[in-house]
């Protein structure tokens, strides 16, 4: 899948929103990507995850893992395409962890998948979990990279779509300076 096709899919499903948003990272942005507008369509999810899997097919992936919530769907579909198990991490007492009896075998080659990154914080937490359990991170597959190329996970990473979106601390946010109402989307409590 070419990047232009991915972007058009997000546009066609109404997943790219304009306004004043509080991101999971705590930053403010004039643009938000509501991935579930795309992921609500199984055929779109399957197509996107197949494209992600194709980017890592040569990496001998043995396990695919993603953070709850969007990462569950992605891990499942990418794992299906790579013929591997698929698991997910969850927060317990504020810390990303494995639950539900999930195990990462020592030396197991693990692909981390994530829906959208801005700062890469959730992916870094999943990488930490993989390493704590003795897994070998071989890469990170991302639907949308909003970081502007600023994130380095220390392993190869591939994104299907790159968006150059401005983000601001609240004190530097032009929308805040104009007293525009802010919308909080996403799932993590700040």
């Amino acid at each position: 899948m070419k990047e232009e096709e991915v972007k058009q899919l997000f546009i066609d499903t109404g997943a790219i929103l304009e306004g004043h948003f509080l991101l999971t990272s705590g930053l403010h942005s004039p643009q938000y990507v509501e991935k579930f507008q795309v992921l609500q369509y199984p055929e779109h999810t399957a197509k996107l995850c197949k494209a992600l899997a194709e980017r890592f097919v040569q990496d001998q992936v043995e396990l695919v893992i993603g953070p709850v919530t969007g990462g569950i769907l992605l891990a499942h579909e990418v794992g299906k395409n790579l013929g591997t198990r698929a698991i997910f991490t969850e927060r317990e007492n504020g810390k990303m962890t494995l639950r539900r009896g999930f195990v990462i075998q020592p030396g197991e080659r693990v692909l981390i998948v994530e829906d959208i990154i801005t700062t890469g914080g959730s992916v870094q937490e999943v990488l930490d979990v993989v390493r704590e359990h003795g897994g070998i991170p071989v890469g990170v597959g991302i639907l949308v990279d909003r970081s502007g190329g600023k994130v380095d996970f220390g392993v190869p990473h591939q994104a299907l779509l790159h968006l150059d979106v401005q983000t601001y601390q609240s004190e530097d946010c032009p929308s805040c300076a104009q007293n525009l109402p802010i919308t909080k989307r996403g799932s993590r409590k700040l």
Side-chain angles (χ1 to χ4, degrees), residues 139-157:
V140 176
I142 306 155
L143 283 187
V144 181
D145 182 347
R146 294 173 37 110
S147 77
K150 297 176 200 147
V151 177
D152 178 10
F153 299 113
V155 296
H157 63 280

Side-chain angles (χ1 to χ4, degrees), residues 59-76:
D59 293 302
Q60 296 143 6
V61 175
E62 298 172 299
L63 172 69
V64 180
I65 187 171
V68 95
T69 299
I72 295 174
L73 293 171
L74 300 180
H76 180 269

